[in-house]
Amino acid sequence: MIIRRIEKVDNQRIAALIRAPFDEYDMEKQHTVYDDETTDHQYEVFKNCASSVLWVAEDQGKVIGSCGVYSTEGLPEGWCEIVKFYVDQNERGKGTGSILFEKALQSAVSLGYHTAYLETFPEFAGAVKLYERLGFKRIDHQVGSSGHTATSIWMTKTLRTESFDDQAMRRKVLGSVGDAHER
């Protein structure tokens, strides 16, 4: 398995990966990432935002997961949103999600963010357990303007309390395209 940045050819597979759990759990689709028009254009979304990154897990040429960091409009200064955390149904429970999520958190720190925020649903209970294990705490309201108003679980995590503006470290973490990860 390799973890790499999203490429233009990934758009269709990433969109399918994002929408699959909504069908799998027969969830509400309106006002979620499912009906968000940008879901079909993730490469362009992340390419056009310098303070964001979307990591893709690929195994034997197949995209099996994603997780990213995005500077969602309306978040407080220094906050980012952990976004597009989805793992193929057949790959869950094998460690892929943990690797992707931790890579996104490392990227958030290297991009200079001090707080990570995420939005999710009760149906994604396995992911919520991962977030809690990694130190995320529930809050009682949505933050920012993601447009995904159907979410009902919101969480934050303090990533760092000190000032961080080391360009060399930022290049090192974000430049690690094609890192290999053993399972």
Side-chain angles (χ1 to χ4, degrees):
M1 177 179 70
I2 62 168
I3 305 295
R4 60 170 174 76
R5 288 177 180 262
I6 189 171
E7 299 171 357
K8 188 169 181 78
V9 298
D10 298 324
N11 274 341
Q12 186 177 5
R13 176 63 181 139
I14 293 294
L17 192 66
I18 289 170
R19 290 184 174 112
F22 289 85
D23 293 328
E24 176 185 343
Y25 295 113
D26 193 29
M27 294 171 57
E28 175 64 39
K29 297 171 178 74
Q30 193 173 20
H31 303 296
T32 71
V33 68
Y34 192 98
D35 74 345
D36 186 331
E37 64 185 42
T38 66
T39 296
D40 294 307
H41 309 284
Q42 291 301 295
Y43 171 78
E44 291 79 9
V45 168
F46 283 88
K47 178 183 175 196
N48 294 326
C49 188
S51 57
S52 300
V53 62
L54 182 61
W55 297 109
V56 172
E58 180 182 318
D59 191 28
Q60 299 179 357
K62 180 182 177 191
V63 172
I64 59 171
S66 66
C67 190
V69 176
Y70 195 75
S71 59
T72 301
E73 186 177 329
L75 288 178
E77 181 73 27
W79 286 40
C80 66
E81 186 175 356
I82 305 299
V83 296
K84 312 306 181 244
F85 179 50
Y86 295 93
V87 176
D88 184 277
Q89 180 180 11
N90 298 318
E91 298 297 324
R92 294 181 201 149
K94 298 179 181 179
T96 302
S98 293
I99 292 168
L100 278 166
F101 200 85
E102 289 178 18
K103 180 78 168 177
L105 290 177
Q106 291 170 354
S107 298
V109 170
S110 73
L111 286 165
Y113 294 110
H114 61 72
T115 302
Y117 165 78
L118 62 83
E119 305 173 339
T120 192
F121 299 90
E123 291 87 348
F124 301 159
V128 172
K129 286 180 186 175
L130 172 66
Y131 307 149
E132 290 170 338
R133 192 171 68 243
L134 293 174
F136 278 78
K137 304 291 183 205
R138 290 180 190 229
I139 59 174
D140 65 359
H141 61 282
Q142 191 170 35
V143 182
S145 304
S146 71
H148 304 149
T149 57
T151 58
S152 59
I153 296 175
W154 310 283
M155 304 177 87
T156 63
K157 175 182 174 147
T158 300
L159 301 172
R160 60 181 176 78
T161 55
E162 70 282 353
S163 176
F164 183 81
D165 192 21
D166 184 344
Q167 292 295 326
M169 178 59 80
R170 187 173 298 170
R171 283 191 299 277
K172 178 180 176 185
V173 172
L174 294 178
S176 58
V177 176
D179 285 353
H181 295 272
E182 298 293 324
R183 285 192 217 184

